[in-house]
Amino acid sequence: MELRILHLYHDLLNLYGEIGNIKVLSKHLADQGIIVSVQGGSVGDDVDFAAYDFVYIGSGTERNQFVALNDLKRHRDELKAAIDGGLVMLATGNSIELFGRYIRDTDGQTREGLGLFDYHAEWCRERISTDIIYRADFLERDLVGYVNRAGMAYGIDTHLFEVRFGVGANKDSNKEGIRYNNFYGTYVIGPILAKNPHFLEYISRSIIKSKDTEYIYKEIRNENQYRAYETALSELTNRMNSISHK
Amino acid sequence: MKKLVVIILTKILYMAGSIMGKGSSLPGKLALKLCPDILARLTLPENIVMITGSNGKTTTAGMINDVLVENGFDVGYNYEGSNQIEGVATLLLRISDLAGRVKKDALVLEVDERYTRYVLKFIKPRYYVITNLYRDQLTRNGHPELVYSIINEGVTDDMHLVLNTDDPLSSMMGMGKDRVTYFGINKNELSTDINTSMYNDGAYCPNCKAKMEYDYYHYNHIGSYHCEACGHRRHDPEFAVTGIDFDEGSFTINGEHKITLNFKSFYNIYNLLAAFTVASLLGVGPDRICASLNGYIVKKERIIEFVTAAGKGMMIISKHENSISYNQSLRYITGQKGDLTAVIIVDSISRKYYTNETSWLWDIDFELLRSDNVRRIILAGKYAYELGFRFKHTGIDENRISIIPDLDDLMKAINDMAVPGGKTFVLTCFSDKQKFIDRVRKWN
């Protein structure tokens, strides 16, 4: 099997070690015996979404987020067609704001989003920066990570996660993220696939399945990754319990 | 009257605190509470140097202080750990007379980048040094562009800016300003044509966001850049490093002023260069500055030497949540001759707050350790497994790597596993420094 990965705005939306997701995923797939190629796609590049088996987009500064948004608008229709057609895509950090209807900044100015989904984002005066534990019905274990962002999302109706610790899509929500077909979006920043072996395996299976439903996925565990995950989960669970007991 | 009371109270509290070995921010904190504009009511000397930035501000401020003191200046200086507005207030009230006059030849104030806007409300520096703006403690800083806006908010036209011309972000503060002095390192044999780091924060112009062009890089996105779209570019520095000789351990400023290096690294050169620049602007002659800075020993707390059965060791402070700080230390290690052992400790991410955030581990160029003379790598602390997984993606031979999650086992591991006859380099942060020192003491 051969798989092609597109790292969208690799040089612009890479603020929190997002390259880790690409490294971990491509190695995990290569360890399956799959031939993996990774390509970056950025401002001004010709991108053919139909040519990829997986697309990843990460987080950036608010200004970089707008640069990416303006550029991505050129590809809006092809991207929509690809996602509707089942393209496996992961969006992390503030990149999820690009896919909604609009983004409203702290001065009340709004910018039109790609409008692929029916939510919008509003930036807050205080930045949202916190550790998180989320639960997903499709993962056997909880997800650990961190959010560091300017905005809140409103109007998502197909969430990805339930909040156990930390913050949700907005301050009144105990849900987070967006799921549509094989599109997975979350405000969680950085190397989410490195931190969470179960999510890495889930995404890998999804990519493989979207390419060939007959292909047999091999269980390949990296013990260090699992131990690191258990350490993080137990640390954050303790943290959650100590805060809730205060 | 209120002013006098606050000044006396702060002095008493400071003295009481010194006797009990307490930190220096509490007296200033109370003073600001009692009299929020107390700093504006003081009479300060004309020569105020303020230093901020992501990396190197403590070291640079210390160097500036030392050069000035050695050259006869009576200096007021807030040393390490008191770089927020409370620490600045403690210093100034401590050294002022009862009328609120600070009779010093110069003030050297290191200010935490997030507090600059508060301090600048009351204190206008004559020279304002911004060392650089990097990805640093992003859990609380958000990102460098946010820190830029916070600092820039406080900059006014009457300040003379002293800027690092090689850093595209912080140098932007000089745009449209008349009173700017740039310092920087010119192209040399260590410069590279391409950026080989995990990320490039200079890929897009920080001013207009068009793609930026680079002529060369020193490290990460630090180098010579220009933007075709808006004209933002590296300015020719008035104070330029024109030659570096790491073999001999020296560098030269403006072709003639040679300074010897006790610690051979780029960031040490930047700190020394910034100190040279400020001291020159304050009228100290170049030869006298060089004499003061020759072989400058970076504060003991930042570099610590130790000995185990395996041989000599050196601990280098590399700030967690700061990939450039780590990269600099990694480059220092890989620049050493002979076989060596590298130890990375990540046990607590910060000493100031709790977080489990480790994305910065993927921004660090650990791949630099894929070098023949790095014979053994020990990954230690609570995040040892996470480091282990990160290292799995470096291409480094796994047989060279050991994972020691419990710091109580670390000294034995160094003792047993470190390459015999080679030096051991330990990289860690302030948050874990003491834990390591305690283990070294126990072991010896």
Side-chain angles (χ1 to χ4, degrees):
Chain A
M1 179 182 278
E2 286 186 34
L3 291 174
R4 295 189 66 196
I5 292 175
L6 173 65
H7 188 179
L8 206 51
Y9 305 108
H10 60 288
D11 57 354
L12 191 66
L13 303 181
N14 60 0
L15 186 55
Y16 302 112
E18 272 80 7
I19 185 77
N21 287 319
I22 298 296
K23 284 181 180 285
V24 166
L25 179 67
S26 52
K27 177 152 177 53
H28 188 71
L29 293 170
D31 287 348
Q32 303 276 328
I34 296 168
I35 298 162
V36 183
S37 64
V38 179
Q39 245 176 318
S42 196
V43 178
D45 292 346
D46 287 329
V47 176
D48 176 12
F49 288 97
Y52 294 97
D53 305 298
F54 176 69
V55 176
Y56 173 67
I57 180 168
S59 42
T61 69
E62 290 69 58
R63 290 177 64 209
N64 286 0
Q65 185 186 7
F66 282 154
V67 175
L69 177 59
N70 288 339
D71 186 70
L72 196 53
K73 281 179 179 166
R74 296 183 293 139
H75 305 294
R76 190 231 175 236
D77 293 344
E78 302 93 272
L79 183 59
K80 184 177 183 339
I83 293 170
D84 286 342
L87 170 72
V88 185
M89 179 161 181
L90 174 64
T92 61
N94 61 356
S95 72
I96 65 166
E97 295 181 349
L98 311 184
F99 301 91
R101 282 164 43 228
Y102 64 88
I103 300 170
R104 179 184 294 155
D105 70 18
T106 45
D107 297 327
Q109 300 246 15
T110 60
R111 294 203 189 205
E112 207 183 319
L114 295 170
L116 299 195
F117 306 115
D118 200 26
Y119 58 83
H120 74 272
E122 293 177 19
W123 290 357
C124 328
R125 296 256 165 236
E126 289 278 312
R127 197 170 176 87
I128 301 146
S129 179
T130 179
D131 294 292
I132 59 96
I133 307 175
Y134 291 162
R135 181 159 287 175
D137 56 14
F138 57 92
L139 297 178
E140 56 190 276
R141 300 292 302 278
D142 288 346
L143 183 117
V144 295
Y146 201 86
V147 294
N148 194 344
R149 66 193 211 231
M152 303 266 192
Y154 296 88
I156 298 174
D157 50 15
T158 52
H159 283 94
L160 192 58
F161 300 119
E162 192 184 309
V163 179
R164 286 195 62 218
F165 177 54
V167 63
N170 57 66
K171 65 179 187 306
D172 300 319
S173 173
N174 67 342
K175 303 267 172 57
E176 205 279 334
I178 167 137
R179 182 174 186 176
Y180 169 80
N181 276 0
N182 284 325
F183 180 95
Y184 302 88
T186 172
Y187 267 128
V188 175
I189 58 155
I192 184 172
L193 299 179
K195 278 275 210 188
N196 295 282
H198 311 94
F199 196 35
L200 169 65
E201 284 154 21
Y202 182 83
I203 290 286
S204 302
R205 280 177 199 271
S206 305
I207 298 168
I208 291 169
K209 211 169 126 194
S210 75
K211 183 86 171 181
D212 178 0
T213 50
E214 304 292 303
Y215 194 91
I216 296 170
Y217 175 82
K218 299 181 196 70
E219 303 271 353
I220 299 171
R221 282 170 68 103
N222 181 288
E223 290 308 322
N224 285 335
Q225 188 189 22
Y226 270 83
R227 288 188 192 116
Y229 165 77
E230 294 298 345
T231 308
L233 182 64
S234 95
E235 281 262 311
L236 290 178
T237 305
N238 288 340
R239 183 87 186 149
M240 171 175 74
N241 294 336
S242 75
I243 289 172
S244 67
H245 287 144
K246 263 180 193 167
Chain B
M1 188 61 198
K2 190 178 179 185
K3 180 162 98 175
L4 178 67
V5 172
V6 171
I7 291 172
I8 293 174
L9 194 68
T10 309
K11 286 178 186 293
I12 293 172
L13 278 174
Y14 179 79
M15 277 195 292
S18 314
I19 294 164
M20 297 189 298
K22 287 274 162 60
S24 57
S25 70
L26 197 71
K29 193 175 178 177
L30 193 74
L32 289 165
K33 200 159 204 177
L34 292 172
C35 184
D37 66 339
I38 186 71
L39 295 179
R41 298 187 185 202
L42 301 176
T43 310
L44 301 177
E46 189 198 348
N47 286 329
I48 300 176
V49 181
M50 202 176 279
I51 300 114
T52 195
S54 304
N55 292 10
K57 56 186 175 292
T58 303
T59 306
T60 304
M63 289 169 172
I64 293 170
N65 173 69
D66 292 359
V67 172
L68 295 181
V69 168
E70 276 188 33
N71 287 282
F73 283 71
D74 183 14
V75 182
Y77 162 49
N78 64 331
Y79 42 84
E80 186 163 352
S82 50
N83 66 359
Q84 303 184 349
I85 188 163
E86 296 86 3
V88 172
T90 304
L91 167 80
L92 297 179
L93 293 168
R94 176 169 68 81
I95 62 177
S96 81
D97 63 15
L98 294 181
R101 287 174 300 212
V102 176
K103 289 176 180 165
K104 293 278 179 187
D105 300 323
L107 290 177
V108 175
L109 303 176
E110 176 201 337
V111 180
D112 182 294
E113 55 276 29
R114 293 166 314 130
Y115 285 83
T116 48
R117 55 183 157 178
Y118 305 119
V119 177
L120 287 166
K121 256 193 231 169
F122 305 112
I123 302 170
K124 298 286 177 199
R126 180 171 180 198
Y127 296 109
Y128 191 11
V129 186
I130 293 128
T131 55
N132 48 57
L133 286 174
Y134 300 150
R135 296 183 183 190
D136 173 46
Q137 293 183 78
L138 300 188
T139 49
R140 60 172 203 178
N141 287 339
H143 54 72
E145 286 181 1
L146 286 175
V147 179
Y148 177 90
S149 335
I150 290 172
I151 295 178
N152 205 35
E153 245 176 63
V155 174
T156 51
D157 285 341
D158 52 346
M159 296 170 196
H160 186 135
L161 296 174
V162 179
L163 301 175
N164 180 344
T165 195
D166 301 338
D167 173 15
L169 183 57
S170 62
S171 72
M172 209 167 75
M173 251 169 261
M175 279 182 129
K177 299 265 191 334
D178 297 331
R179 303 168 71 189
V180 186
T181 299
Y182 292 100
F183 62 88
I185 298 178
N186 287 353
K187 191 174 186 176
N188 55 62
E189 58 267 34
L190 298 165
S191 311
T192 55
D193 294 338
I194 50 164
N195 181 328
T196 53
S197 294
M198 282 297 142
Y199 62 92
N200 181 1
D201 275 346
Y204 294 81
C205 173
N207 183 49
C208 75
K209 292 295 174 185
K211 285 200 181 176
M212 196 117 87
E213 306 287 330
Y214 269 81
D215 296 322
Y216 57 85
Y217 297 88
H218 292 312
Y219 57 81
N220 287 73
H221 57 289
I222 302 308
S224 182
Y225 52 85
H226 63 274
C227 173
E228 302 277 357
C230 76
H232 178 44
R233 65 185 170 89
R234 175 188 192 263
H235 290 264
D236 283 337
E238 194 179 322
F239 292 86
V241 169
T242 46
I244 298 176
D245 186 344
F246 274 136
D247 288 331
E248 187 197 68
S250 69
F251 70 100
T252 308
I253 297 171
N254 291 350
E256 49 181 342
H257 311 300
K258 192 162 150 180
I259 296 177
T260 56
L261 288 165
N262 182 274
F263 190 72
K264 299 171 192 172
S265 82
F266 260 116
Y267 68 74
N268 197 21
I269 294 178
Y270 272 113
N271 296 338
L272 290 161
L273 175 63
F276 186 98
T277 303
V278 172
S280 300
L281 292 170
L282 285 169
V284 185
D287 295 341
R288 304 190 66 138
I289 302 175
C290 290
S292 295
L293 291 178
N294 272 334
Y296 190 93
I297 295 173
V298 179
K299 278 240 170 59
K300 279 216 173 69
E301 299 85 52
R302 305 224 155 195
I303 296 165
I304 292 165
E305 304 204 81
F306 61 92
V307 181
T308 67
K312 283 188 180 172
M314 182 192 246
M315 183 178 84
I316 307 169
I317 293 292
S318 310
K319 296 199 281 180
H320 290 168
E321 298 189 86
N322 187 316
S323 44
I324 290 192
S325 167
Y326 259 88
N327 286 350
Q328 289 290 305
S329 301
L330 292 168
R331 280 174 197 273
Y332 175 78
I333 293 178
T334 51
Q336 303 293 311
K337 294 191 173 63
D339 289 351
L340 59 91
T341 301
V343 181
I344 318 280
I345 303 175
V346 184
D347 195 60
S348 311
I349 288 162
S350 169
R351 60 181 162 162
K352 292 179 179 154
Y353 46 84
Y354 176 83
T355 183
N356 198 263
E357 216 282 291
T358 50
S359 67
W360 49 279
L361 291 176
W362 297 87
D363 275 343
I364 298 172
D365 298 326
F366 283 120
E367 285 71 7
L368 289 166
L369 294 177
R370 198 169 54 205
S371 166
D372 277 345
N373 65 329
V374 182
R375 307 298 300 173
R376 172 62 59 183
I377 295 169
I378 299 173
L379 308 172
K382 198 181 285 161
Y383 294 90
Y385 294 123
E386 203 147 338
L387 281 165
F389 189 55
R390 168 71 185 89
F391 271 73
K392 178 132 188 115
H393 297 81
T394 56
I396 295 171
D397 179 1
E398 286 188 65
N399 292 319
R400 292 187 181 187
I401 301 173
S402 306
I403 293 174
I404 310 290
D406 188 342
L407 290 181
D408 285 334
D409 303 329
L410 180 58
M411 292 315 294
K412 188 173 177 339
I414 292 175
N415 208 67
D416 297 351
M417 291 188 264
V419 53
K423 204 164 176 179
T424 298
F425 293 91
V426 178
L427 267 64
T428 194
C429 183
F430 295 110
S431 55
D432 296 330
K433 176 186 86 167
Q434 199 54 44
K435 298 174 195 169
F436 179 69
I437 293 172
D438 290 346
R439 264 90 180 176
V440 172
R441 289 214 183 104
K442 223 169 165 181
W443 181 261
N444 283 339

